Amino acid sequence: MVQLQEAATLDYRSETYRDAYSRINAIVIEGELEANHNYLALATMLPEGAADLNKLARMESKHMKGFEACAQNLEVTPDKDFAVKFFTPLRENFEAAQKSGDLITCLVIQSLLIECFAIAAYNVYIPVADDFARKVTEGVVKDEYLHLNYGETWLRGHFEDPSVKEQIGVANAANLPLIWQMFKQVEADAGTLGMDPEAVLEDFMIAYSEALENVGFTNREVMRLAAQGLRSL
Ligand code: PL3
Ligand code: FE2
Ligand code: FE2
Protein backbone atom coordinates (compact mmCIF):
# COMPACT_ATOMS: atom_id res chain seq x y z
CA MET A 1 0.00 0.00 0.00
CA VAL A 2 1.43 3.33 -1.06
CA GLN A 3 1.47 6.10 1.55
CA LEU A 4 0.12 9.13 -0.24
CA GLN A 5 1.23 12.53 1.05
CA GLU A 6 -1.35 15.31 1.18
CA ALA A 7 -0.24 18.18 -1.07
CA ALA A 8 -0.74 20.65 1.81
CA THR A 9 1.63 18.71 4.06
CA LEU A 10 4.45 18.27 1.52
CA ASP A 11 7.80 19.53 2.76
CA TYR A 12 9.91 19.92 -0.39
CA ARG A 13 13.03 20.42 1.71
CA SER A 14 12.65 17.34 3.92
CA GLU A 15 15.09 14.42 3.62
CA THR A 16 12.21 12.06 2.83
CA TYR A 17 10.93 14.21 -0.03
CA ARG A 18 14.38 14.85 -1.47
CA ASP A 19 15.33 11.16 -1.25
CA ALA A 20 12.28 10.13 -3.30
CA TYR A 21 12.89 13.08 -5.64
CA SER A 22 16.45 11.88 -6.32
CA ARG A 23 14.99 8.78 -8.03
CA ILE A 24 11.84 10.18 -9.71
CA ASN A 25 13.70 13.24 -11.01
CA ALA A 26 16.56 11.04 -12.28
CA ILE A 27 14.05 8.88 -14.15
CA VAL A 28 12.54 11.92 -15.78
CA ILE A 29 15.96 13.31 -16.77
CA GLU A 30 17.07 9.92 -18.14
CA GLY A 31 13.71 9.50 -19.92
CA GLU A 32 14.11 12.86 -21.63
CA LEU A 33 17.72 12.03 -22.59
CA GLU A 34 16.75 8.66 -24.06
CA ALA A 35 13.79 10.28 -25.82
CA ASN A 36 16.30 12.67 -27.43
CA HIS A 37 18.38 9.68 -28.62
CA ASN A 38 15.29 7.84 -29.81
CA TYR A 39 14.05 10.75 -31.97
CA LEU A 40 17.54 11.18 -33.45
CA ALA A 41 17.47 7.44 -34.30
CA LEU A 42 13.97 7.77 -35.76
CA ALA A 43 15.15 10.69 -37.92
CA THR A 44 17.72 8.40 -39.57
CA MET A 45 15.13 5.64 -40.06
CA LEU A 46 12.49 7.93 -41.54
CA PRO A 47 14.27 10.39 -43.86
CA GLU A 48 11.07 12.18 -44.97
CA GLY A 49 10.33 12.95 -41.32
CA ALA A 50 13.91 13.87 -40.40
CA ALA A 51 13.34 17.63 -40.08
CA ASP A 52 10.36 17.17 -37.74
CA LEU A 53 11.98 14.36 -35.76
CA ASN A 54 15.16 16.35 -35.21
CA LYS A 55 12.98 19.17 -33.89
CA LEU A 56 11.34 16.76 -31.42
CA ALA A 57 14.80 15.54 -30.36
CA ARG A 58 15.82 19.14 -29.59
CA MET A 59 12.66 19.65 -27.52
CA GLU A 60 13.59 16.55 -25.47
CA SER A 61 17.01 17.90 -24.59
CA LYS A 62 15.39 21.17 -23.51
CA HIS A 63 13.04 19.15 -21.29
CA MET A 64 16.02 17.36 -19.78
CA LYS A 65 17.68 20.68 -18.91
CA GLY A 66 14.46 21.94 -17.33
CA PHE A 67 14.24 18.91 -15.04
CA GLU A 68 17.94 19.17 -14.17
CA ALA A 69 17.20 22.70 -12.99
CA CYS A 70 14.34 21.34 -10.82
CA ALA A 71 16.85 19.08 -9.02
CA GLN A 72 19.29 21.94 -8.53
CA ASN A 73 16.51 24.11 -7.16
CA LEU A 74 15.78 21.53 -4.43
CA GLU A 75 19.49 20.73 -3.99
CA VAL A 76 18.92 17.12 -4.96
CA THR A 77 21.47 14.87 -6.68
CA PRO A 78 19.60 12.71 -9.21
CA ASP A 79 20.27 8.96 -8.85
CA LYS A 80 21.48 8.38 -12.39
CA ASP A 81 22.38 4.67 -11.87
CA PHE A 82 18.85 3.91 -10.71
CA ALA A 83 17.38 5.70 -13.72
CA VAL A 84 19.62 3.98 -16.25
CA LYS A 85 18.64 0.57 -14.81
CA PHE A 86 14.98 1.61 -14.76
CA PHE A 87 14.99 2.20 -18.52
CA THR A 88 17.25 -0.69 -19.53
CA PRO A 89 14.63 -3.25 -20.70
CA LEU A 90 12.74 -0.65 -22.76
CA ARG A 91 15.98 0.85 -24.12
CA GLU A 92 17.22 -2.60 -25.18
CA ASN A 93 13.98 -3.29 -27.02
CA PHE A 94 14.18 0.08 -28.79
CA GLU A 95 17.80 -0.55 -29.79
CA ALA A 96 17.03 -4.07 -31.05
CA ALA A 97 14.16 -2.70 -33.14
CA GLN A 98 16.38 0.08 -34.45
CA LYS A 99 19.07 -2.45 -35.49
CA SER A 100 16.58 -4.53 -37.44
CA GLY A 101 15.04 -1.44 -39.08
CA ASP A 102 11.71 -1.98 -37.30
CA LEU A 103 10.34 1.56 -37.51
CA ILE A 104 6.88 0.59 -36.22
CA THR A 105 8.21 -0.83 -32.95
CA CYS A 106 10.44 2.22 -32.44
CA LEU A 107 7.45 4.55 -32.91
CA VAL A 108 5.26 2.49 -30.58
CA ILE A 109 7.91 2.48 -27.83
CA GLN A 110 8.86 6.17 -28.00
CA SER A 111 5.91 8.08 -29.41
CA LEU A 112 3.06 6.07 -27.92
CA LEU A 113 4.21 4.25 -24.77
CA ILE A 114 6.89 6.59 -23.39
CA GLU A 115 5.02 9.79 -24.30
CA CYS A 116 1.79 8.49 -22.70
CA PHE A 117 3.76 7.51 -19.58
CA ALA A 118 5.28 10.99 -19.44
CA ILE A 119 1.92 12.73 -20.04
CA ALA A 120 0.25 10.73 -17.26
CA ALA A 121 3.08 11.24 -14.76
CA TYR A 122 3.53 14.97 -15.52
CA ASN A 123 -0.20 15.74 -15.27
CA VAL A 124 -0.45 14.02 -11.89
CA TYR A 125 2.76 15.73 -10.69
CA ILE A 126 1.81 19.31 -11.66
CA PRO A 127 -0.73 19.97 -8.85
CA VAL A 128 1.68 18.69 -6.15
CA ALA A 129 4.95 20.08 -7.55
CA ASP A 130 6.95 22.93 -6.01
CA ASP A 131 6.40 26.29 -7.76
CA PHE A 132 9.58 26.09 -9.82
CA ALA A 133 9.05 22.49 -10.98
CA ARG A 134 5.36 23.14 -11.71
CA LYS A 135 6.18 25.86 -14.24
CA VAL A 136 8.82 23.68 -15.90
CA THR A 137 6.51 20.65 -16.06
CA GLU A 138 3.57 22.66 -17.45
CA GLY A 139 5.76 23.80 -20.34
CA VAL A 140 7.07 20.28 -20.96
CA VAL A 141 3.74 18.45 -20.96
CA LYS A 142 2.41 20.65 -23.79
CA ASP A 143 5.27 19.43 -25.98
CA GLU A 144 4.66 15.78 -25.06
CA TYR A 145 1.18 15.96 -26.61
CA LEU A 146 2.83 17.04 -29.88
CA HIS A 147 5.22 14.09 -29.67
CA LEU A 148 2.38 11.64 -29.08
CA ASN A 149 0.53 13.22 -31.99
CA TYR A 150 3.53 12.69 -34.27
CA GLY A 151 3.46 8.93 -33.64
CA GLU A 152 -0.32 8.69 -33.92
CA THR A 153 -0.40 10.60 -37.20
CA TRP A 154 2.33 8.53 -38.85
CA LEU A 155 0.84 5.21 -37.75
CA ARG A 156 -2.69 6.25 -38.77
CA GLY A 157 -1.35 7.20 -42.20
CA HIS A 158 0.00 3.66 -42.67
CA PHE A 159 -2.72 1.73 -40.87
CA GLU A 160 -4.30 0.25 -43.98
CA ASP A 161 -1.10 -1.78 -44.45
CA PRO A 162 -1.93 -5.04 -42.56
CA SER A 163 1.71 -5.59 -41.61
CA VAL A 164 1.72 -2.23 -39.77
CA LYS A 165 -1.36 -3.13 -37.75
CA GLU A 166 0.13 -6.52 -36.91
CA GLN A 167 3.50 -5.06 -35.89
CA ILE A 168 1.85 -2.53 -33.55
CA GLY A 169 0.24 -5.52 -31.83
CA VAL A 170 3.58 -7.33 -31.53
CA ALA A 171 5.32 -4.20 -30.19
CA ASN A 172 2.48 -3.65 -27.71
CA ALA A 173 2.64 -7.22 -26.37
CA ALA A 174 6.42 -7.00 -25.90
CA ASN A 175 6.57 -3.54 -24.32
CA LEU A 176 3.36 -2.76 -22.43
CA PRO A 177 4.34 -5.23 -19.65
CA LEU A 178 7.62 -3.34 -19.26
CA ILE A 179 5.70 -0.11 -18.61
CA TRP A 180 3.73 -1.97 -15.93
CA GLN A 181 6.95 -3.14 -14.26
CA MET A 182 8.28 0.42 -14.38
CA PHE A 183 5.14 1.74 -12.64
CA LYS A 184 5.62 -0.82 -9.86
CA GLN A 185 9.20 0.29 -9.20
CA VAL A 186 8.31 3.92 -8.59
CA GLU A 187 4.86 3.93 -7.04
CA ALA A 188 6.13 4.26 -3.45
CA ASP A 189 8.41 7.19 -4.36
CA ALA A 190 5.63 8.81 -6.38
CA GLY A 191 3.39 8.58 -3.30
CA THR A 192 6.05 10.36 -1.21
CA LEU A 193 5.92 13.22 -3.74
CA GLY A 194 2.14 13.44 -3.24
CA MET A 195 1.33 11.79 -6.58
CA ASP A 196 -1.49 9.23 -6.62
CA PRO A 197 0.01 6.18 -8.40
CA GLU A 198 -3.47 4.89 -9.29
CA ALA A 199 -4.18 8.18 -11.04
CA VAL A 200 -0.96 7.85 -13.04
CA LEU A 201 -1.96 4.36 -14.16
CA GLU A 202 -5.47 5.49 -15.08
CA ASP A 203 -4.24 8.55 -16.97
CA PHE A 204 -1.74 6.35 -18.78
CA MET A 205 -4.41 3.86 -19.85
CA ILE A 206 -6.71 6.67 -20.98
CA ALA A 207 -4.00 8.39 -23.04
CA TYR A 208 -2.70 5.11 -24.51
CA SER A 209 -6.13 3.75 -25.47
CA GLU A 210 -7.07 7.10 -27.03
CA ALA A 211 -3.84 6.98 -29.01
CA LEU A 212 -4.59 3.46 -30.28
CA GLU A 213 -8.10 4.54 -31.29
CA ASN A 214 -6.69 7.57 -33.10
CA VAL A 215 -4.33 5.23 -34.96
CA GLY A 216 -7.34 3.23 -36.19
CA PHE A 217 -8.00 0.33 -33.83
CA THR A 218 -11.61 -0.42 -32.88
CA ASN A 219 -12.65 -0.22 -29.24
CA ARG A 220 -12.61 -4.02 -28.95
CA GLU A 221 -9.12 -4.20 -30.46
CA VAL A 222 -7.89 -1.55 -28.03
CA MET A 223 -9.23 -3.61 -25.10
CA ARG A 224 -7.50 -6.69 -26.47
CA LEU A 225 -4.20 -4.81 -26.81
CA ALA A 226 -4.47 -3.53 -23.24
CA ALA A 227 -5.20 -7.05 -21.94
CA GLN A 228 -2.29 -8.51 -23.94
CA GLY A 229 0.04 -6.26 -22.01
CA LEU A 230 -1.21 -7.72 -18.74
CA ARG A 231 -1.20 -11.35 -19.88
CA SER A 232 2.55 -11.57 -20.33
CA LEU A 233 3.29 -10.22 -16.83
C1 PL3 B 1 9.73 11.96 -23.24
O1 PL3 B 1 9.32 13.14 -23.72
C2 PL3 B 1 9.58 11.86 -21.80
C3 PL3 B 1 10.22 10.72 -21.15
C4 PL3 B 1 10.09 10.70 -19.69
C5 PL3 B 1 9.36 9.56 -19.16
C6 PL3 B 1 9.41 9.38 -17.74
C7 PL3 B 1 8.17 9.42 -17.04
C8 PL3 B 1 8.22 9.01 -15.74
C9 PL3 B 1 7.91 9.20 -14.59
C10 PL3 B 1 7.97 8.74 -13.32
C11 PL3 B 1 6.84 8.95 -12.52
C12 PL3 B 1 6.27 8.10 -11.79
C13 PL3 B 1 5.02 7.89 -11.31
C14 PL3 B 1 4.53 6.52 -11.37
C15 PL3 B 1 3.55 6.16 -10.41
C16 PL3 B 1 3.01 4.77 -10.50
FE1 FE2 C 1 10.02 15.25 -23.26
FE1 FE2 D 1 8.45 13.71 -25.64
mmCIF file of all heavy atoms in Angstrom, residues 24 27-28 31-32 35 60 63 87 110 114-115 117-118 121-122 144 147 183 186-187 190 195 197 200, ligand 1:
data_model
loop_
_atom_site.group_PDB
_atom_site.id
_atom_site.type_symbol
_atom_site.label_atom_id
_atom_site.label_comp_id
_atom_site.label_asym_id
_atom_site.label_seq_id
_atom_site.Cartn_x
_atom_site.Cartn_y
_atom_site.Cartn_z
ATOM 1 N N ILE A 24 12.859 9.810 -8.720
ATOM 2 C CA ILE A 24 11.845 10.183 -9.707
ATOM 3 C C ILE A 24 12.417 11.219 -10.680
ATOM 4 O O ILE A 24 12.264 11.105 -11.908
ATOM 5 C CB ILE A 24 10.576 10.753 -9.020
ATOM 6 C CG1 ILE A 24 9.936 9.710 -8.094
ATOM 7 C CG2 ILE A 24 9.588 11.251 -10.066
ATOM 8 C CD1 ILE A 24 9.152 8.610 -8.762
ATOM 9 N N ILE A 27 14.785 9.625 -13.126
ATOM 10 C CA ILE A 27 14.052 8.875 -14.150
ATOM 11 C C ILE A 27 13.573 9.820 -15.248
ATOM 12 O O ILE A 27 13.666 9.534 -16.438
ATOM 13 C CB ILE A 27 12.843 8.161 -13.508
ATOM 14 C CG1 ILE A 27 13.304 6.942 -12.724
ATOM 15 C CG2 ILE A 27 11.822 7.762 -14.560
ATOM 16 C CD1 ILE A 27 12.202 6.358 -11.865
ATOM 17 N N VAL A 28 13.064 10.957 -14.829
ATOM 18 C CA VAL A 28 12.541 11.919 -15.785
ATOM 19 C C VAL A 28 13.684 12.475 -16.655
ATOM 20 O O VAL A 28 13.558 12.558 -17.884
ATOM 21 C CB VAL A 28 11.775 13.029 -15.034
ATOM 22 C CG1 VAL A 28 11.463 14.173 -15.941
ATOM 23 C CG2 VAL A 28 10.505 12.469 -14.408
ATOM 24 N N GLY A 31 14.760 9.701 -18.917
ATOM 25 C CA GLY A 31 13.708 9.495 -19.916
ATOM 26 C C GLY A 31 13.781 10.536 -21.023
ATOM 27 O O GLY A 31 13.650 10.215 -22.206
ATOM 28 N N GLU A 32 14.010 11.787 -20.642
ATOM 29 C CA GLU A 32 14.113 12.864 -21.634
ATOM 30 C C GLU A 32 15.374 12.689 -22.486
ATOM 31 O O GLU A 32 15.346 12.931 -23.697
ATOM 32 C CB GLU A 32 14.112 14.232 -20.946
ATOM 33 C CG GLU A 32 12.835 14.562 -20.162
ATOM 34 C CD GLU A 32 11.612 14.771 -21.046
ATOM 35 O OE1 GLU A 32 11.738 14.751 -22.284
ATOM 36 O OE2 GLU A 32 10.507 14.951 -20.490
ATOM 37 N N ALA A 35 14.753 9.833 -24.807
ATOM 38 C CA ALA A 35 13.791 10.283 -25.824
ATOM 39 C C ALA A 35 14.526 11.089 -26.898
ATOM 40 O O ALA A 35 14.265 10.939 -28.098
ATOM 41 C CB ALA A 35 12.695 11.125 -25.175
ATOM 42 N N GLU A 60 13.301 17.482 -26.574
ATOM 43 C CA GLU A 60 13.586 16.545 -25.470
ATOM 44 C C GLU A 60 14.823 16.981 -24.698
ATOM 45 O O GLU A 60 14.854 16.872 -23.466
ATOM 46 C CB GLU A 60 13.761 15.109 -25.982
ATOM 47 C CG GLU A 60 12.568 14.533 -26.746
ATOM 48 C CD GLU A 60 11.292 14.363 -25.922
ATOM 49 O OE1 GLU A 60 11.166 14.978 -24.851
ATOM 50 O OE2 GLU A 60 10.410 13.611 -26.392
ATOM 51 N N HIS A 63 13.771 19.693 -22.446
ATOM 52 C CA HIS A 63 13.040 19.147 -21.292
ATOM 53 C C HIS A 63 14.017 18.641 -20.234
ATOM 54 O O HIS A 63 13.846 18.870 -19.042
ATOM 55 C CB HIS A 63 12.143 17.979 -21.714
ATOM 56 C CG HIS A 63 11.055 18.379 -22.669
ATOM 57 N ND1 HIS A 63 10.286 17.444 -23.335
ATOM 58 C CD2 HIS A 63 10.615 19.599 -23.067
ATOM 59 C CE1 HIS A 63 9.411 18.087 -24.102
ATOM 60 N NE2 HIS A 63 9.589 19.383 -23.960
ATOM 61 N N PHE A 87 15.345 2.165 -17.099
ATOM 62 C CA PHE A 87 14.985 2.204 -18.524
ATOM 63 C C PHE A 87 15.618 1.086 -19.354
ATOM 64 O O PHE A 87 15.313 0.958 -20.538
ATOM 65 C CB PHE A 87 15.381 3.560 -19.138
ATOM 66 C CG PHE A 87 14.356 4.623 -18.922
ATOM 67 C CD1 PHE A 87 14.546 5.615 -17.971
ATOM 68 C CD2 PHE A 87 13.165 4.631 -19.660
ATOM 69 C CE1 PHE A 87 13.586 6.589 -17.752
ATOM 70 C CE2 PHE A 87 12.203 5.597 -19.445
ATOM 71 C CZ PHE A 87 12.415 6.582 -18.496
ATOM 72 N N GLN A 110 8.593 4.773 -28.369
ATOM 73 C CA GLN A 110 8.862 6.167 -28.003
ATOM 74 C C GLN A 110 7.615 7.045 -28.054
ATOM 75 O O GLN A 110 7.260 7.691 -27.072
ATOM 76 C CB GLN A 110 9.976 6.774 -28.868
ATOM 77 C CG GLN A 110 10.232 8.249 -28.565
ATOM 78 C CD GLN A 110 10.574 8.509 -27.108
ATOM 79 O OE1 GLN A 110 11.412 7.819 -26.532
ATOM 80 N NE2 GLN A 110 9.920 9.473 -26.474
ATOM 81 N N ILE A 114 6.131 5.681 -24.271
ATOM 82 C CA ILE A 114 6.892 6.589 -23.390
ATOM 83 C C ILE A 114 6.197 7.942 -23.274
ATOM 84 O O ILE A 114 6.101 8.513 -22.186
ATOM 85 C CB ILE A 114 8.358 6.736 -23.858
ATOM 86 C CG1 ILE A 114 9.069 5.374 -23.761
ATOM 87 C CG2 ILE A 114 9.105 7.790 -23.021
ATOM 88 C CD1 ILE A 114 10.524 5.373 -24.200
ATOM 89 N N GLU A 115 5.685 8.471 -24.375
ATOM 90 C CA GLU A 115 5.021 9.785 -24.298
ATOM 91 C C GLU A 115 3.756 9.712 -23.440
ATOM 92 O O GLU A 115 3.481 10.639 -22.672
ATOM 93 C CB GLU A 115 4.702 10.326 -25.700
ATOM 94 C CG GLU A 115 5.920 10.542 -26.605
ATOM 95 C CD GLU A 115 6.923 11.613 -26.138
ATOM 96 O OE1 GLU A 115 6.677 12.265 -25.109
ATOM 97 O OE2 GLU A 115 7.948 11.778 -26.821
ATOM 98 N N PHE A 117 3.254 7.633 -20.951
ATOM 99 C CA PHE A 117 3.760 7.506 -19.580
ATOM 100 C C PHE A 117 4.130 8.892 -19.045
ATOM 101 O O PHE A 117 3.740 9.281 -17.928
ATOM 102 C CB PHE A 117 4.974 6.572 -19.593
ATOM 103 C CG PHE A 117 5.476 6.151 -18.229
ATOM 104 C CD1 PHE A 117 4.725 6.323 -17.076
ATOM 105 C CD2 PHE A 117 6.725 5.536 -18.106
ATOM 106 C CE1 PHE A 117 5.203 5.908 -15.825
ATOM 107 C CE2 PHE A 117 7.214 5.124 -16.863
ATOM 108 C CZ PHE A 117 6.454 5.316 -15.730
ATOM 109 N N ALA A 118 4.846 9.653 -19.853
ATOM 110 C CA ALA A 118 5.277 10.987 -19.436
ATOM 111 C C ALA A 118 4.058 11.894 -19.219
ATOM 112 O O ALA A 118 3.967 12.594 -18.199
ATOM 113 C CB ALA A 118 6.224 11.580 -20.482
ATOM 114 N N ALA A 121 2.297 10.907 -15.954
ATOM 115 C CA ALA A 121 3.081 11.244 -14.756
ATOM 116 C C ALA A 121 3.147 12.764 -14.563
ATOM 117 O O ALA A 121 2.967 13.269 -13.453
ATOM 118 C CB ALA A 121 4.483 10.648 -14.861
ATOM 119 N N TYR A 122 3.381 13.507 -15.637
ATOM 120 C CA TYR A 122 3.530 14.966 -15.519
ATOM 121 C C TYR A 122 2.200 15.615 -15.094
ATOM 122 O O TYR A 122 2.188 16.520 -14.263
ATOM 123 C CB TYR A 122 4.037 15.580 -16.834
ATOM 124 C CG TYR A 122 5.439 15.109 -17.236
ATOM 125 C CD1 TYR A 122 5.925 15.330 -18.523
ATOM 126 C CD2 TYR A 122 6.273 14.451 -16.336
ATOM 127 C CE1 TYR A 122 7.203 14.911 -18.900
ATOM 128 C CE2 TYR A 122 7.541 14.020 -16.703
ATOM 129 C CZ TYR A 122 8.004 14.256 -17.987
ATOM 130 O OH TYR A 122 9.257 13.843 -18.352
ATOM 131 N N GLU A 144 4.812 17.245 -24.996
ATOM 132 C CA GLU A 144 4.659 15.782 -25.063
ATOM 133 C C GLU A 144 3.410 15.394 -25.853
ATOM 134 O O GLU A 144 3.396 14.364 -26.527
ATOM 135 C CB GLU A 144 4.628 15.152 -23.663
ATOM 136 C CG GLU A 144 5.773 15.529 -22.724
ATOM 137 C CD GLU A 144 7.184 15.263 -23.232
ATOM 138 O OE1 GLU A 144 7.374 14.914 -24.413
ATOM 139 O OE2 GLU A 144 8.119 15.425 -22.420
ATOM 140 N N HIS A 147 4.414 15.279 -29.372
ATOM 141 C CA HIS A 147 5.223 14.089 -29.674
ATOM 142 C C HIS A 147 4.337 12.863 -29.864
ATOM 143 O O HIS A 147 4.542 12.063 -30.773
ATOM 144 C CB HIS A 147 6.239 13.845 -28.561
ATOM 145 C CG HIS A 147 7.163 15.007 -28.327
ATOM 146 N ND1 HIS A 147 8.084 15.039 -27.319
ATOM 147 C CD2 HIS A 147 7.270 16.188 -28.981
ATOM 148 C CE1 HIS A 147 8.739 16.188 -27.363
ATOM 149 N NE2 HIS A 147 8.247 16.903 -28.360
ATOM 150 N N PHE A 183 6.080 1.131 -13.594
ATOM 151 C CA PHE A 183 5.140 1.743 -12.638
ATOM 152 C C PHE A 183 5.385 1.197 -11.240
ATOM 153 O O PHE A 183 5.482 1.936 -10.269
ATOM 154 C CB PHE A 183 3.688 1.411 -13.018
ATOM 155 C CG PHE A 183 3.062 2.362 -13.991
ATOM 156 C CD1 PHE A 183 2.449 1.898 -15.146
ATOM 157 C CD2 PHE A 183 3.047 3.730 -13.750
ATOM 158 C CE1 PHE A 183 1.863 2.768 -16.047
ATOM 159 C CE2 PHE A 183 2.452 4.607 -14.639
ATOM 160 C CZ PHE A 183 1.857 4.123 -15.794
ATOM 161 N N VAL A 186 8.265 2.536 -9.066
ATOM 162 C CA VAL A 186 8.309 3.924 -8.590
ATOM 163 C C VAL A 186 7.064 4.362 -7.838
ATOM 164 O O VAL A 186 6.979 5.509 -7.413
ATOM 165 C CB VAL A 186 8.588 4.917 -9.748
ATOM 166 C CG1 VAL A 186 10.049 4.861 -10.143
ATOM 167 C CG2 VAL A 186 7.686 4.677 -10.938
ATOM 168 N N GLU A 187 6.100 3.446 -7.631
ATOM 169 C CA GLU A 187 4.856 3.925 -7.037
ATOM 170 C C GLU A 187 5.054 4.436 -5.613
ATOM 171 O O GLU A 187 4.438 5.429 -5.228
ATOM 172 C CB GLU A 187 3.712 2.910 -7.157
ATOM 173 C CG GLU A 187 3.951 1.585 -6.537
ATOM 174 C CD GLU A 187 2.747 0.664 -6.727
ATOM 175 O OE1 GLU A 187 1.692 1.131 -7.169
ATOM 176 O OE2 GLU A 187 2.881 -0.527 -6.414
ATOM 177 N N ALA A 190 6.618 7.865 -5.855
ATOM 178 C CA ALA A 190 5.633 8.811 -6.380
ATOM 179 C C ALA A 190 4.675 9.237 -5.273
ATOM 180 O O ALA A 190 4.334 10.417 -5.146
ATOM 181 C CB ALA A 190 4.869 8.185 -7.550
ATOM 182 N N MET A 195 2.007 12.238 -5.357
ATOM 183 C CA MET A 195 1.326 11.791 -6.578
ATOM 184 C C MET A 195 0.529 10.528 -6.270
ATOM 185 O O MET A 195 1.025 9.634 -5.587
ATOM 186 C CB MET A 195 2.356 11.466 -7.676
ATOM 187 C CG MET A 195 3.197 12.651 -8.088
ATOM 188 S SD MET A 195 4.620 12.158 -9.089
ATOM 189 C CE MET A 195 3.817 11.529 -10.572
ATOM 190 N N PRO A 197 -0.440 7.134 -7.376
ATOM 191 C CA PRO A 197 0.006 6.182 -8.403
ATOM 192 C C PRO A 197 -1.155 5.609 -9.217
ATOM 193 O O PRO A 197 -1.012 5.364 -10.424
ATOM 194 C CB PRO A 197 0.697 5.081 -7.600
ATOM 195 C CG PRO A 197 1.047 5.704 -6.303
ATOM 196 C CD PRO A 197 -0.007 6.726 -6.032
ATOM 197 N N VAL A 200 -1.939 7.910 -11.947
ATOM 198 C CA VAL A 200 -0.961 7.852 -13.043
ATOM 199 C C VAL A 200 -1.305 6.691 -13.973
ATOM 200 O O VAL A 200 -1.331 6.837 -15.201
ATOM 201 C CB VAL A 200 0.490 7.702 -12.520
ATOM 202 C CG1 VAL A 200 1.475 7.625 -13.688
ATOM 203 C CG2 VAL A 200 0.864 8.852 -11.596
HETATM 204 C C1 PL3 B 1 9.728 11.959 -23.241
HETATM 205 O O1 PL3 B 1 9.322 13.138 -23.723
HETATM 206 C C2 PL3 B 1 9.580 11.861 -21.803
HETATM 207 C C3 PL3 B 1 10.216 10.719 -21.149
HETATM 208 C C4 PL3 B 1 10.086 10.700 -19.689
HETATM 209 C C5 PL3 B 1 9.364 9.563 -19.157
HETATM 210 C C6 PL3 B 1 9.414 9.383 -17.739
HETATM 211 C C7 PL3 B 1 8.168 9.424 -17.037
HETATM 212 C C8 PL3 B 1 8.223 9.014 -15.736
HETATM 213 C C9 PL3 B 1 7.912 9.197 -14.594
HETATM 214 C C10 PL3 B 1 7.969 8.741 -13.315
HETATM 215 C C11 PL3 B 1 6.845 8.948 -12.522
HETATM 216 C C12 PL3 B 1 6.267 8.098 -11.785
HETATM 217 C C13 PL3 B 1 5.022 7.885 -11.310
HETATM 218 C C14 PL3 B 1 4.529 6.518 -11.371
HETATM 219 C C15 PL3 B 1 3.546 6.160 -10.406
HETATM 220 C C16 PL3 B 1 3.010 4.769 -10.505
#
